[in-house]
Amino acid sequence: GYTDASNRYSFRAGDAVTRAQFVTILWRFAGSPAAEYDLSAITDIGSLSTVQKNALKWAYFYNYVSGTSSTTFSPARQMTRKEAYTIMYNYANEAALHAPGVDLVYIDPTGVDNPISGYELPTDVAQTAYYYWPAVFAIVNGLSTLDNGYRFNPDGLCTRGMVAQMLFKLGGKMNKWSVDTQ
């Protein structure tokens, strides 16, 4: 959870999420599945907890995440929106394709037959950017919105509040819970 010494129950929604925190949150969202992956080549994760290392093993095993180099993950670096939505896309797009009862639109990573007509697409994300299809996935599936200038703000920091909203919406689409709004 999110706690600090001054306030045990402080969520701090505006605080940026680190790369290690985001992977751990998504891993827990996925049910904390076990996965074996040799992390010995990654040199900058020695200070991570066992839980964070288990999350990282899962994320690397399924190719949901990649490092910042072949030997580094940069766990303490603050997560950008483009990174967060790319990791979420890698996880959730697989569910959209393979999980029965999931209400997510699958986005073909090759860009073939994607249902983008009728949607406002981001003006600040080039179609050649590695995070273009993750941004489209988030928009088409209602997991993210664009501002009035149709900007996705890919280099903006991903905050705890954004992660909570993203996973709340994703959980609804994946039928992890139902919410009675009446």
Side-chain angles (χ1 to χ4, degrees), residues 94-149:
E94 183 178 325
L97 185 61
H98 298 292
V102 168
D103 185 27
L104 289 167
V105 176
Y106 174 73
I107 300 293
D108 185 346
T110 65
V112 177
D113 296 326
N114 281 313
I116 59 175
S117 63
Y119 291 93
E120 294 292 344
L121 298 178
T123 59
D124 60 347
V125 179
Q127 287 187 351
T128 56
Y130 76 86
Y131 50 90
Y132 178 77
W133 291 114
V136 169
F137 178 85
I139 293 162
V140 168
N141 284 292
L143 306 176
S144 180
T145 56
L146 300 172
D147 69 13
N148 291 334

Side-chain angles (χ1 to χ4, degrees), residues 7-167:
N7 185 346
R8 284 188 42 191
Y9 303 103
S10 175
F11 179 65
R12 301 185 325 255
D15 285 3
V17 174
T18 67
R19 290 170 51 85
Q21 288 171 334
F22 185 83
V23 169
T24 303
I25 292 165
L26 187 61
W27 174 71
R28 286 180 170 156
F29 175 84
S32 305
E36 288 302 318
Y37 187 88
D38 182 6
L39 297 174
S40 63
I42 304 170
T43 61
D44 63 349
I45 60 170
S47 65
L48 294 182
S49 70
T50 300
V51 168
Q52 290 172 318
K53 287 179 182 175
N54 287 338
L56 202 54
K57 286 178 185 180
W58 167 79
Y60 268 97
F61 181 81
Y62 288 105
N63 294 313
Y64 297 149
V65 70
S66 60
T68 52
S69 79
S70 62
T71 60
T72 59
F73 177 67
S74 302
R77 194 180 85 206
Q78 294 177 333
M79 178 72 76
T80 62
R81 287 173 48 89
K82 63 187 174 190
E83 291 173 315
Y85 279 100
T86 298
I87 293 168
M88 183 198 60
Y89 164 80
N90 291 340
Y91 165 72
N93 203 37
E94 183 178 325
L97 185 61
H98 298 292
V102 168
D103 185 27
L104 289 167
V105 176
Y106 174 73
I107 300 293
D108 185 346
T110 65
V112 177
D113 296 326
N114 281 313
I116 59 175
S117 63
Y119 291 93
E120 294 292 344
L121 298 178
T123 59
D124 60 347
V125 179
Q127 287 187 351
T128 56
Y130 76 86
Y131 50 90
Y132 178 77
W133 291 114
V136 169
F137 178 85
I139 293 162
V140 168
N141 284 292
L143 306 176
S144 180
T145 56
L146 300 172
D147 69 13
N148 291 334
Y150 301 109
R151 290 183 304 270
F152 186 69
N153 191 17
D155 293 317
L157 294 180
C158 190
T159 66
R160 291 175 175 185
M162 288 177 188
V163 173
Q165 181 181 36
M166 176 193 311
L167 294 181

